[in-house]
Amino acid sequence: QVQVVESGGGLVHTGGSLRLSCTASGLTFDDYAMAWFRQAPGKEREGVSCIHWSGASTAYAGSVKGRFTISRDNAKNTLYLQMESLKPEDTAMYYCAASRFWRDGLLLQSDYKYWGQGTQVTVSS
C-alpha cells in the first residue's frame, strides 16, 4: 500500500521561510518523479514544482521561481520544498504527489497517481 505523507507546514510571517517534507512508502521512490502542488481557498489546485526521479532536473511555477527549491533524498524516500521569502499569496494547502512520467518539467496533475493529504501553509501579512 502506497502512503504519501507531508509535513512541515505552519504559520509564518511575510518574508519568512519554511521547509516542507514528504515521505513516500510502498513504492520504489527513485522510479517516480515527484511534485508539489498547492490549493488556496476558492482556487483550483496548481502545480508548484517537480523533480525528476534522478533529481537531475527540476521545474518551477513562475510565481515561486527563485524563492522555492525542490530537492529529494532517494536514500530516505523523502522529497523537500524549501520556501523562502514567503508571501501571503503562498497561503495554501500543499500536496506532494508521485508520477511515473516525466514530461520535461511540465506539471500535469493527471500524471500524478499517488497523493498525500496535504500540509497547510499560512503566510500572514
Side-chain angles (χ1 to χ4, degrees), residues 64-101:
V64 306
K65 202 166 187 177
R67 300 188 297 121
F68 291 10
T69 303
I70 192 170
S71 62
R72 65 190 295 160
D73 184 339
N74 286 346
K76 296 182 178 179
N77 283 17
T78 302
L79 175 73
Y80 303 100
L81 185 69
Q82 180 67 42
M83 305 186 293
E84 307 283 352
S85 303
L86 283 161
K87 305 174 182 180
E89 51 264 45
D90 294 317
T91 295
M93 185 72 78
Y94 283 70
Y95 298 92
C96 171
S99 170
R100 292 298 302 271
F101 301 102

Side-chain angles (χ1 to χ4, degrees), residues 49-52 57-61 102-108 112:
S49 182
C50 59
I51 186 167
H52 189 267
S57 296
T58 59
Y60 297 90
W102 179 255
R103 301 190 191 277
D104 201 24
L106 185 63
L107 274 160
L108 291 177
Y112 287 81

